Amino acid sequence: TYFGGSGYENASGIASDSSGNVYVAGDTYSTDLPVQNAVQTSNRGRQEGFVVKFSAAGAVQYSTYLGGSGDDRAAAIAVDSTGAAYITGNTTSPDFPVANAFQAGNAGGQDGFVTKLTPAGNAIVYSTYLGGSGGTGGSPESGNGIAVDSSGSAYVTGVTSSPNFPTRSALQTGHAGGGLDAFIAKFSPAGTGLVYSTYLGGIGFDTATSIAVDGVGTAYVTGNTTSPDFPIANPIQGAKSGSMDAFVATVNPGGTALTFSTFLGGNASDGGTAIALNGSGNLWIAGQTTSTDFPLRGPFQSAGYSEGNGFVASIVQTAPGNQPPSVVSVSPAAGSGSLQTFTVVLNDANGNADVRGFDMIVRTPASTTYANACWISFDRVSNQLMLANDSAAGYIGAVTPGSPASVQNSQCLLVGTDATVTGSGTTLTVQMTITFKPGFSGANPAKTVSTIAYDAGGATSAWFTSSWTVPFVGNGCWLHCDPNFPFRCTLLVCL
């Protein structure tokens, strides 16, 4: 069917639900667009977004304008299991319709937007701007692709020229330069907050065009890039081949890491325009190319035309699965002393939230058991540092980082006061203060420090080995004094 009025229309996005209803979004210059059960019945500006729902038989269920007094474009649409439609695009309107908004105002000349309609299409559940101070002529800021998961969280991707695009829990916190970066953002189901939001790009021009999401919240994005340093991970094609390449990127559920990212292109200009998942979790990418050596495998058409061609590519995913964490460092790496603050830095490609904990064992190098060691375990779920007993058969007790509690065995004492836990991106950093007891020095004061990390799926790192010397000191008492209040001290232990 045709759909439109007396002006110009363009349909940019399409989705369907389990009943076969079809949802279309786009933009119109018409003032007489056929509206029905509309949330907005008139064109309030010049270029206006529109949303229309057709039944499986092709009858209009609802049709509505969406926009303000400026220029508005609906670029993509998704639908959830209830029939609620999610729309993204761009707007220059200072009065774009907002409700329950994460960002209530236009921060630049052009901002992206995200809108959720009720299943009937005649009311807005939430609607928000999304952007920074960029979005000027020739430097767009726009939502270009949208997907929704089973919990009702919207995933949006697009392009930004803003140095202050709103980010949260980002794998790339800053604009990389060049003028345009892609972005990926996940909204909470209510639409009032960001679960994560990140830039994605290099020193050139980077634009994301389409996004898909799987059942566990992994996001899949395609677009185009001119950046030779576009961030890649486990790539099929590790370097840019032409003036512009397509890219395909996979972001872990927390939004903190790329589990897969690759260039895809040949000796000229290439771009990805759409991405989808099949039932096996493999990717399908469609786009355009002017390259004469675009990478082919089992092609239906093996030769292209210089004016340009479409392309379709299927990528069989080797799922990142349960990638093991790693112990990056334990510092100090070596030294001597009876009281020392140790810093353990861990990394996990699936994000720091995937790190379940670690064990750090300080013992005599010649020892063949873990008995009579200073064995400390950190458990991320309970947020506790635990100390093993002298026989290493169980734990004596635990302390919470930041608490004044302490726990000790015959080898060492652990206090929670100075302990901290910090997660950022793929890195988890744990700091803790250990007091070694005089009897632990013994005939072999030089100790081996062995540290191993493990993740939520049970995968473990390699052992990381460092050293520490426990000097012999006479009996005495240990105090902890607050550096901000020198006379506020706590007696920890007397030996």
Side-chain angles (χ1 to χ4, degrees):
T1 184
Y2 290 100
F3 182 78
S6 58
Y8 167 86
E9 279 83 32
N10 179 53
S12 303
I14 190 167
S16 64
D17 63 23
S18 58
S19 299
N21 299 307
V22 177
Y23 303 71
V24 178
D27 59 277
T28 177
Y29 286 81
S30 297
T31 57
D32 57 350
L33 191 79
V35 295
Q36 182 174 321
N37 303 320
V39 71
Q40 181 181 324
T41 58
S42 63
N43 188 331
R44 300 168 60 199
R46 187 176 67 102
Q47 181 187 27
E48 204 85 340
F50 75 81
V51 184
V52 58
K53 175 184 177 181
F54 295 95
S55 70
V60 172
Q61 304 297 295
Y62 67 77
S63 172
T64 184
Y65 289 98
L66 183 64
S69 58
D71 288 338
D72 314 283
R73 173 178 172 265
I77 190 168
V79 62
D80 67 18
S81 60
T82 70
Y86 301 71
I87 306 99
T88 192
N90 58 67
T91 177
T92 64
S93 298
D95 54 353
F96 187 87
V98 296
N100 303 313
F102 159 72
Q103 180 181 325
N106 190 329
Q110 182 189 78
D111 272 6
F113 72 81
V114 182
T115 300
K116 178 182 178 181
L117 300 180
T118 60
N122 59 0
I124 291 174
V125 179
Y126 68 77
S127 184
T128 182
Y129 291 93
L130 179 64
S133 58
T136 59
S139 297
E141 187 159 59
S142 176
N144 293 334
I146 193 166
V148 61
D149 67 18
S150 58
S151 69
S153 290
Y155 298 70
V156 183
T157 196
V159 62
T160 178
S161 55
S162 296
N164 57 348
F165 187 86
T167 59
R168 180 181 179 87
S169 302
L171 66 91
Q172 181 180 324
T173 57
H175 195 287
L180 300 177
D181 270 5
F183 73 80
I184 306 168
K186 177 184 177 180
F187 280 84
S188 64
T192 54
L194 291 172
V195 177
Y196 68 77
S197 179
T198 184
Y199 290 96
L200 182 65
I203 60 173
F205 291 82
D206 314 284
T207 300
T209 55
S210 183
I211 189 169
V213 63
D214 67 16
V216 298
T218 302
Y220 305 81
V221 179
T222 192
N224 55 72
T225 178
T226 66
S227 298
D229 60 341
F230 187 87
I232 59 173
N234 306 309
I236 294 171
Q237 178 181 324
K240 186 168 73 73
S241 294
S243 58
M244 182 172 76
D245 275 6
F247 73 81
V248 184
T250 302
V251 182
N252 71 339
T256 55
L258 291 171
T259 53
F260 169 72
S261 181
T262 187
F263 292 99
L264 182 63
N267 56 14
S269 179
D270 316 280
T273 55
I275 193 167
L277 296 169
N278 68 9
S280 301
N282 296 323
L283 302 176
W284 292 85
I285 303 97
Q288 55 191 16
T289 176
T290 59
S291 295
T292 57
D293 62 345
F294 188 85
L296 303 176
R297 172 170 285 190
F300 161 74
Q301 180 180 329
S302 58
Y305 298 91
S306 59
E307 291 82 1
N309 295 264
F311 75 80
V312 180
S314 176
I315 296 178
V316 179
Q317 286 199 98
T318 302
N322 198 24
Q323 296 187 72
S326 62
V327 181
V328 177
S329 64
V330 176
S331 58
S336 175
S338 296
L339 186 149
Q340 180 62 45
T341 298
F342 290 90
T343 301
V344 179
V345 179
L346 312 173
N347 186 271
D348 193 313
N350 294 321
N352 77 81
D354 191 46
V355 177
R356 173 65 187 267
F358 69 86
D359 289 322
M360 190 176 92
I361 305 171
V362 185
R363 61 175 177 161
T364 302
S367 176
T368 58
T369 72
Y370 294 127
N372 301 312
C374 179
W375 181 346
I376 296 170
S377 295
F378 173 65
D379 181 72
R380 186 80 175 277
V381 175
S382 63
N383 191 35
Q384 288 185 320
L385 288 160
M386 300 172 288
L387 182 64
N389 59 25
D390 290 343
S391 65
Y395 295 109
I396 296 173
V399 297
T400 301
S403 74
S406 62
V407 62
Q408 58 184 306
N409 63 13
S410 298
Q411 289 66 242
C412 63
L413 175 143
L414 176 67
V415 63
T417 306
D418 296 324
T420 60
V421 180
T422 306
S424 178
T426 60
T427 301
L428 182 71
T429 303
V430 180
Q431 186 172 282
M432 56 189 171
T433 299
I434 302 173
T435 301
F436 297 108
K437 296 187 176 180
F440 191 39
S441 175
N444 297 295
K447 308 297 180 183
T448 296
V449 182
S450 302
T451 307
I452 190 170
Y454 48 94
D455 67 12
T460 60
S461 70
W463 284 97
F464 184 95
T465 304
S466 53
S467 62
W468 194 255
T469 299
V470 179
F472 175 80
V473 294
N475 293 339
C477 294
W478 273 258
L479 299 176
H480 178 274
C481 296
D482 190 326
N484 298 312
F485 300 94
F487 300 106
R488 183 181 294 172
C489 298
T490 303
L491 177 65
L492 297 181
V493 64
C494 287
L495 304 174

